[in-house]
């Protein structure tokens, strides 16, 4: 566990401090989505790039964990944003179904509102689980590095550098995409570790094992369910590593 006392004191700690920290995470996510929506609307960003930028930014929500005072029960407000988005994505994907909605433009693959119910909704559920059960635990770094960076970057690299395609249960993949999962997972690990600084996560054996597990689980995952298989596989493998 890391100590967040000093950072939390910036907002005074306790309930009000954690409310302020939650507000920071909300502003952060809304700003990212607004920028990506503008980029797609102005044809500056391709929809797939926008979708993955939101994916990376959302996975990086845990960089704000040090702002939360874990001595107060309200530290659970760290999942305020993913909890709200889980409800919002369900409503927009299953009920409203407005193709012109900013969330649909920035997070769907083809502009269909129903697509919010697959990868994006599952991803926010994974974030809720991460924030509730792995808050300030080293396993969170491994899981979100693999899910946020590894799985997030893979489709972009695989599509643009389709080196040696191969077929597996998860569909047609490429060596380029799988290499991207491996490299990006390691990069994501060091990115999160540089901010959260868990002392027990620096073994290279663990880092390489995490990246390899991410590659395998991403390749074997059914379409639209890699947001489940990748973090679950990484979590259980890292628990076995001790």
């Amino acid at each position: 566990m890391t100590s967040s006392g000093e950072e939390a004191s910036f907002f005074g700690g306790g309930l009000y401090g954690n409310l302020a920290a939650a507000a920071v995470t909300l502003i952060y996510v809304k700003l990212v989505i607004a920028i990506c929506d503008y980029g797609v609307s102005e044809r500056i960003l391709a929809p797939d790039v926008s979708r993955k930028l939101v994916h990376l930014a959302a996975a990086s929500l845990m960089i704000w964990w040090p702002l939360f005072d874990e001595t107060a029960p309200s530290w659970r407000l760290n999942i305020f944003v993913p909890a709200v988005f889980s409800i919002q994505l369900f409503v927009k994907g299953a009920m409203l179904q407005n193709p012109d909605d900013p969330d649909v433009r920035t997070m769907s693959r083809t502009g269909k509102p129903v697509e919010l119910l697959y990868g994006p909704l599952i991803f926010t559920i994974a974030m809720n689980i991460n924030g509730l059960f792995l808050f300030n635990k080293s396993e969170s770094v491994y899981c979100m590095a693999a899910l946020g960076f590894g799985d997030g970057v893979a489709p972009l690299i695989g599509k643009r550098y389709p080196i040696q395609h191969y077929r597996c249960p998860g569909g047609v993949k490429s060596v380029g995409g799988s290499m991207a999962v491996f490299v990006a997972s390691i990069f994501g690990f060091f990115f999160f570790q540089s901010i959260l600084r868990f002392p027990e996560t620096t073994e290279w054996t663990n880092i390489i094992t995490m990246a390899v597990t991410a590659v395998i689980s991403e390749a074997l995952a059914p379409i639209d369910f890699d947001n489940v298989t990748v973090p679950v596989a990484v979590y259980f493998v890292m628990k076995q590593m001790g």
Side-chain angles (χ1 to χ4, degrees):
M1 300 283 283
T2 59
S3 173
S4 57
E6 291 184 9
E7 292 88 344
S9 64
F10 180 82
F11 290 124
L15 174 60
Y16 293 114
N18 287 337
L19 283 169
V24 169
T25 65
L26 178 62
I27 293 170
Y28 161 75
V29 170
K30 285 292 188 182
L31 182 61
V32 169
I33 290 177
I35 291 173
C36 289
D37 181 46
Y38 175 80
V40 172
S41 299
E42 297 297 317
R43 298 187 178 181
I44 299 171
L45 292 176
D48 64 330
V49 174
S50 168
R51 186 171 183 268
K52 290 307 177 182
L53 285 177
V54 172
H55 181 107
L56 287 167
S60 300
L61 199 68
M62 58 192 285
I63 65 174
W64 303 105
W65 280 2
L67 295 180
F68 290 89
D69 177 11
E70 64 181 318
T71 65
S74 54
W75 62 262
R76 294 170 180 82
L77 286 169
N78 81 85
I79 69 159
F80 172 73
V81 169
V84 169
F85 267 82
S86 295
I87 298 171
Q88 185 171 292
L89 290 173
F90 176 79
V91 171
K92 290 183 177 183
M95 301 168 67
L96 299 181
Q97 297 192 330
N98 177 11
D100 294 321
D101 186 277
D103 288 343
V104 175
R105 286 199 298 262
T106 56
M107 287 186 249
S108 65
R109 280 194 176 96
T110 63
K112 296 178 181 178
V114 71
E115 292 175 353
L116 297 181
L117 302 178
Y118 303 128
L121 178 58
I122 294 172
F123 184 78
T124 58
I125 292 172
M127 290 174 62
N128 284 315
I129 294 172
N130 188 61
L132 283 178
F133 299 104
L134 299 181
F135 179 73
N136 275 353
K137 293 181 179 179
S138 58
E139 293 89 349
S140 64
V141 171
Y142 293 119
C143 290
M144 296 312 287
L147 175 60
F149 283 78
D151 183 56
V153 168
L156 296 179
I157 301 300
K159 180 179 179 180
R160 288 159 176 78
Y161 302 95
I163 305 170
Q164 190 60 48
H165 286 97
Y166 63 94
R167 185 174 294 278
C168 57
V172 177
K173 305 289 183 178
S174 72
V175 173
S178 295
M179 289 174 61
V181 175
F182 183 83
V183 173
S185 294
I186 294 175
F187 176 84
F189 168 84
F190 284 107
F191 171 71
F192 289 132
Q193 178 65 5
S194 69
I195 296 171
L196 300 174
R197 299 186 180 278
F198 295 118
E200 67 271 34
T201 60
T202 54
E203 290 288 337
W204 266 104
T205 303
N206 290 352
I207 298 169
I208 297 299
T209 300
M210 174 272 296
V212 170
T213 303
V215 171
I216 296 172
S217 57
E218 192 274 338
L220 297 179
I223 296 174
D224 288 322
F225 285 93
D226 49 354
N227 288 342
V228 175
T229 59
V230 171
V232 169
V234 168
Y235 174 79
F236 282 108
V237 168
M238 300 318 299
K239 289 294 285 185
Q240 290 299 315
M241 293 285 291

